[in-house]
Amino acid sequence: MLSRLGALLQEAVGAWEPTIDLLEAFVEHWKGITHYYIESTDESTPAKKTDIPWRLKQMLDILVHEERQQAAGEAGPCLEYLLQHKILETLCTLGKAEYPPGMRQQVFQFFSKVLAQVQHPLLHYLNVHRPVQNLLRLGGAPGSLTEKEEVQFTTVLCSKIQQDPALLTYILEGKKTVAQKKASKESTALPRETASIEDKDHPHSKAPDGGPCGAGALTAQLPVETQEPDEGIGESNLITSLVGLCKSKRGRVALKAQENLLLLVSVAPQAAATYLVQSSPCCPAVVKHLCQLYQSLPAFLDPADIAALEGIAWRLPSAPSDEGNFPGKEALAAFLGWFDYCDHLIMEAHTVVADALAKAVAEKLFMEILQPQLLHVSEQSVLTSTALLTALLRQLRSPALLGEAVAFLLGSEQRPAAPEDGPCTLCAHLIRHCDHLSDEISIATLRLFEELLQKPHERIIRGLVLCHLEGRLYAARGSQEPESYEDNLDLEEDPYFTDGLLDAGFQPSAKPHPAPATNSDGKTAVTEIVNSFLCLVPEEAKTSAFLEETGYDTYVHDAYTLFQECSSRVSPWGWPLALTPLDPHEPERPFFEGHFLRMLFDRMSRILEQPYSLNLQVTSVLSRLALFPHPLIHEYLLDPYISLAPGCRSLFSVLVRVIGDLMQRIQRVPQFPGKLLLVRKQLMGHIPGEQLDHQTLLQGVVVLEEFCKELAAIAFVKFPPQGPHLHLPPPPEGHV
């Protein structure tokens, strides 16, 4: 028994010994393939049912086994034979002929396995590089039956390029190397010289029987015309193939192709990156697909449906199944997924490629497609394109594409706008859309600006707001700045501050003691600002105290989080921590708050007459603005005690006028407190909604009360004792 087992083991070990001539076996298998084409008359038998796959597998195994026996860096006789007899070129021709049926699939698989398993550098050889280019030209067509094999082939190529990024230049610039071919049979190395192999130096590379096993003898028997590759072979076929595979309906194929293209642009050295931009279809092809996906969307999409697909990512581009269905859902998911992919390409690519791709997206999608729709006379077109642009801004992360988006939206001019300026830029048109006759368009455009204000690009806030506030022309000149906030406003004489201030935490006396604005602990100034906003709405117009979860504490918590996020976003911009003192002798000049703030203030002044959803969006944008940690924004939007120049208004002065209007309207609404509480309960979903008289007014009052609490919370978190960027004190306890 033991002797029998020993014999079996000895037989197994002996199987690995080189008992046969590897080159002879290699040539024999190749001759078996060529003889099939010479002798076979059956054109219908699939390739996988012939012995071709088995023979290719044997040839691969021989190449791998031979390499293990060779010294590192040396090519064995079988590999030399493969190169000198242009076996890969012949196989590529067979794959192009697709004879027998399915042969192209076999060729793709063989190429992939040879490149992956043979460790000797192959892509530098012309007789490997050229058929690789030719094989790439056979793939990339959407819906191809060989998509799986094609993406495996490109994955191997990209893996090799990742190991040696300089290869990318050679593969992309194939025409430069093909032109170097010689008339004689050769396996000349590409510009990066590796071992050059010539027939005369390697007599073993001839077929043992001298039989004709090269390309010429076989291709004469094929039903396809064979031609020598022309000098345009290097038309970036790897890129073309990958972009084509990215469009595959098979999710795994498309994802792998996208990963491969992302890898290429990220490892590309300078020369290859320049070639990708100047001489390849990379950027145009990627952006063309993006525009095609956009054009396939329905003419109208509900902004709520677009917002529901937030978070679509290129790795998971399909629409969430748990969301409600709507026409165009899958098309929208595909478009947003590809835009996210473009954004990632720009984020990861070499700077040369990133800038070019970002400019292409801006030119082809933003300028040529979106801008005409944003300026269209059709309200449906304006609404859909605005909501889609908002979704794109929400997904956008790459600095290069963000810069292009900002330039597209805000224009190239940096000067402050004048009151009489017409809507000469896209931004001016969009600001007008915020005060559109259509409430839907107004809300959608306000959301666009709110999204824009959250992007990390200083030109946004500077162009919309700060450039108009610089110089502090809104502040009165010719008098000394107040020593304390109350010097500017006597609360006891103001009819809208007769209700007392706060309950616990911020409860001042009947008249606060004078204190300088730069108090040692800073709390007095903060207290007065917070009190001013919290006490702005008269008691008879307040209802939040009657319901839970509508208190000021919640706003403080939310404002703290948002302020930290905003401060982190703007920290690289080097903003000043304090205001530049006013020159009392400087003559007053006209102040214009800018079209954006003017629109917001005008909208805010009509809060008692506008729909609830529109009011929510207006106050949301103003809150975003108030969060910015710039001293000019602190003063203009959050300082109730600023001495305004004649004819100027601030956010607080607008709110005071609204309260004055409210006090008059209250007198004309019977049972106002009860109806107001009822409307608040409806808005919170505590009771069923039913139409009431003065409903718009009552809803506006609820929004007004909540907005004042929100502004108070923002002021509280922005003005800590030791400056706006240090540790914040806890909110006052017991606050409603």
Side-chain angles (χ1 to χ4, degrees):
M1 181 68 181
L2 289 175
S3 60
R4 180 179 178 82
L5 180 59
L8 289 173
L9 290 173
Q10 184 63 37
E11 183 180 345
V13 172
W16 291 97
E17 295 179 358
T19 56
I20 60 171
D21 186 286
L22 290 179
L23 178 59
E24 182 179 349
F26 187 83
V27 173
E28 206 51 46
H29 285 299
W30 177 236
K31 288 174 64 176
I33 293 174
T34 60
H35 287 163
Y36 174 87
Y37 286 89
I38 296 172
E39 299 170 358
S40 175
T41 57
D42 184 0
E43 298 183 4
S44 61
T45 302
K48 62 183 179 181
K49 292 189 176 180
T50 69
D51 66 350
I52 293 176
W54 176 76
R55 291 192 179 278
L56 289 173
K57 175 68 165 58
Q58 298 306 308
M59 291 171 66
L60 172 67
D61 290 345
I62 290 172
L63 288 172
V64 174
H65 183 68
E66 176 189 67
E67 185 175 53
R68 291 172 183 163
Q69 297 177 333
Q70 298 295 127
E74 291 187 8
C78 297
L79 180 58
E80 293 175 3
Y81 185 90
L82 176 91
L83 296 170
Q84 293 179 11
H85 289 78
K86 300 184 179 180
I87 288 178
L88 294 180
E89 290 197 35
T90 304
L91 284 172
C92 189
T93 303
L94 302 179
K96 182 178 181 180
E98 185 63 344
Y99 171 69
M103 186 60 189
R104 186 173 302 177
Q105 181 184 44
Q106 300 299 323
V107 173
F108 270 115
Q109 290 176 344
F110 183 72
F111 270 60
S112 299
K113 291 174 181 177
V114 168
L115 291 174
Q117 296 182 33
V118 174
Q119 301 304 307
H120 189 85
L122 295 178
L123 287 170
H124 296 285
Y125 289 105
L126 186 62
N127 285 346
V128 175
H129 172 273
R130 183 163 48 196
V132 162
Q133 292 279 12
N134 282 332
L135 192 58
L136 284 169
R137 300 173 77 179
L138 299 181
S144 167
L145 297 178
T146 56
E147 278 186 339
K148 180 181 177 182
E149 289 73 26
E150 290 171 33
V151 82
Q152 289 173 344
F153 177 51
T154 57
T155 298
V156 172
L157 287 177
C158 292
S159 175
K160 294 295 181 182
I161 292 169
Q162 185 179 26
Q163 296 169 17
D164 182 5
L167 273 174
L168 180 56
T169 307
Y170 303 144
I171 290 178
L172 294 180
E173 299 181 339
K175 60 186 178 184
K176 293 184 179 180
T177 58
V178 172
Q180 300 170 2
K181 63 181 181 287
K182 299 177 182 178
S184 61
K185 183 164 58 178
E186 62 185 359
S187 60
T188 308
L190 291 183
R192 174 185 166 185
E193 290 292 336
T194 56
S196 180
I197 306 170
E198 305 231 359
D199 290 345
K200 62 183 180 181
D201 297 326
H202 300 277
H204 293 294
S205 63
K206 295 287 185 183
D209 60 358
C213 300
L218 175 58
T219 54
Q221 308 292 329
L222 291 177
V224 61
E225 181 182 354
T226 305
Q227 60 185 18
E228 222 21 57
D230 59 33
E231 298 215 357
I233 190 174
E235 298 172 350
S236 299
N237 294 308
L238 177 57
I239 301 297
T240 307
S241 180
L242 284 173
V243 173
L245 290 168
C246 286
K247 305 175 187 178
S248 172
K249 300 297 183 184
R250 300 168 68 178
R252 292 185 178 180
V253 169
L255 177 60
K256 194 62 184 175
Q258 290 170 16
E259 290 174 344
N260 289 338
L261 183 56
L262 184 63
L263 172 65
L264 285 189
V265 299
S266 64
V267 303
Q270 178 72 33
T274 302
Y275 190 89
L276 279 171
V277 169
Q278 297 180 354
S279 306
S280 89
C282 180
C283 295
V286 169
V287 176
K288 181 181 179 181
H289 186 48
L290 179 68
C291 294
Q292 289 173 338
L293 290 172
Y294 184 93
Q295 301 286 26
S296 69
L297 297 175
F300 176 72
L301 285 167
D302 190 321
D305 290 335
I306 296 174
L309 285 188
E310 179 181 354
I312 291 290
W314 67 274
R315 293 184 183 276
L316 297 169
S318 58
S321 57
D322 56 341
E323 301 290 345
N325 286 320
F326 56 87
K329 178 181 178 181
E330 292 300 327
L332 176 60
F335 168 69
L336 293 177
W338 189 255
F339 180 83
D340 184 59
Y341 179 64
C342 291
D343 189 46
H344 273 76
L345 280 178
I346 296 169
M347 183 88 77
E348 300 293 335
H350 188 286
T351 306
V352 171
V353 179
D355 291 343
L357 186 53
K359 289 182 185 300
V361 171
E363 178 185 347
K364 297 300 181 182
L365 178 63
F366 294 166
M367 297 291 295
E368 295 183 10
I369 297 179
L370 272 172
Q371 180 163 298
Q373 295 183 0
L374 292 167
L375 302 178
H376 204 277
V377 294
S378 165
E379 292 187 358
Q380 183 172 301
S381 174
V382 172
L383 183 61
T384 300
S385 57
T386 302
L388 284 169
L389 182 55
T390 305
L392 298 184
L393 280 176
R394 189 177 300 121
Q395 287 190 236
L396 202 157
R397 295 293 181 271
S398 61
L401 188 52
L402 176 58
E404 293 292 337
V406 170
F408 165 68
L409 287 167
L410 301 186
S412 56
E413 292 189 16
Q414 296 289 334
R415 65 175 183 85
E420 64 276 5
D421 286 353
C424 57
T425 65
L426 177 60
C427 181
H429 281 283
L430 291 174
I431 290 173
R432 282 195 169 191
H433 287 175
C434 294
D435 208 351
H436 200 276
L437 289 175
S438 165
D439 291 335
E440 281 188 299
I441 289 178
S442 295
I443 292 171
T445 314
L446 284 164
R447 283 179 182 155
L448 172 65
F449 278 107
E450 183 178 11
E451 198 62 49
L452 189 62
L453 287 168
Q454 296 175 66
K455 308 312 290 186
H457 199 296
E458 186 180 12
R459 194 181 159 203
I460 298 168
I461 186 65
R462 186 160 297 281
L464 291 175
V465 175
L466 285 176
C467 68
H468 301 283
L469 302 184
E470 289 171 348
R472 301 174 66 194
L473 298 178
Y474 50 82
R477 256 65 169 178
S479 60
Q480 292 186 348
E481 298 205 42
E483 292 187 356
S484 70
Y485 286 105
E486 70 208 26
D487 290 346
N488 285 326
L489 186 64
D490 190 335
L491 301 187
E492 289 187 342
E493 295 176 1
D494 192 316
Y496 308 125
F497 287 84
T498 57
D499 304 303
L501 295 178
L502 303 177
D503 298 332
F506 281 105
Q507 182 69 47
S509 58
K511 183 176 180 64
H513 297 291
T518 55
N519 186 15
S520 60
D521 62 4
K523 292 184 178 178
T524 303
V526 180
T527 301
E528 291 182 0
I529 293 174
V530 172
N531 286 345
S532 298
F533 283 111
L534 288 179
C535 299
L536 193 55
V537 177
E539 286 298 322
E540 56 265 40
K542 292 181 178 179
T543 49
S544 60
F546 299 101
L547 299 172
E548 297 180 358
E549 299 182 359
T550 58
Y552 166 72
D553 288 352
T554 303
Y555 282 109
V556 171
H557 181 273
D558 294 344
Y560 178 80
T561 301
L562 293 173
F563 179 62
Q564 294 301 304
E565 292 175 359
C566 185
S567 298
S568 174
R569 193 163 56 242
V570 308
S571 60
W573 302 345
W575 280 355
L577 298 178
L579 292 166
T580 301
L582 290 173
D583 181 356
H585 304 294
E586 181 183 352
E588 291 184 351
R589 288 179 289 146
F591 168 69
F592 175 52
E593 64 263 58
H595 293 291
F596 188 59
L597 281 176
R598 181 171 69 176
M599 173 274 297
L600 289 173
F601 285 178
D602 289 347
R603 276 294 191 191
M604 198 66 219
S605 67
R606 303 197 298 270
I607 190 173
L608 302 178
E609 306 158 8
Q610 295 171 158
Y612 176 70
S613 56
L614 179 56
N615 283 336
L616 287 181
Q617 195 56 54
V618 171
T619 55
S620 183
V621 174
L622 281 167
S623 298
R624 288 284 178 190
L625 282 178
L627 283 163
F628 279 93
H630 195 287
L632 290 172
I633 293 177
H634 297 335
E635 180 177 56
Y636 190 62
L637 295 184
L638 292 175
D639 186 352
Y641 302 97
I642 181 176
S643 292
L644 293 171
C648 297
R649 58 181 179 173
S650 67
L651 177 56
F652 190 80
S653 72
V654 171
L655 291 173
V656 167
R657 288 183 177 273
V658 171
I659 296 298
D661 184 23
L662 172 62
M663 295 300 289
Q664 297 180 19
R665 293 178 183 237
I666 285 177
Q667 310 304 321
R668 300 193 293 267
V669 180
Q671 301 177 331
F672 177 81
K675 289 182 178 178
L676 184 61
L677 182 59
L678 186 64
V679 165
R680 178 179 278 275
K681 289 181 178 178
Q682 288 179 351
L683 293 175
M684 297 182 68
H686 292 175
I687 60 174
E690 59 181 73
Q691 191 66 34
L692 299 173
D693 293 337
H694 309 287
Q695 188 153 10
T696 299
L697 168 66
L698 296 168
Q699 290 176 341
V701 175
V702 173
V703 175
L704 182 62
E705 180 187 357
E706 296 305 306
F707 183 51
C708 288
K709 289 195 295 186
E710 188 172 14
L711 290 176
I714 292 172
F716 180 75
V717 301
K718 287 181 74 175
F719 293 104
Q722 302 301 323
H725 299 291
L726 302 180
H727 179 67
L728 302 177
E733 297 181 0
H735 224 316
V736 180

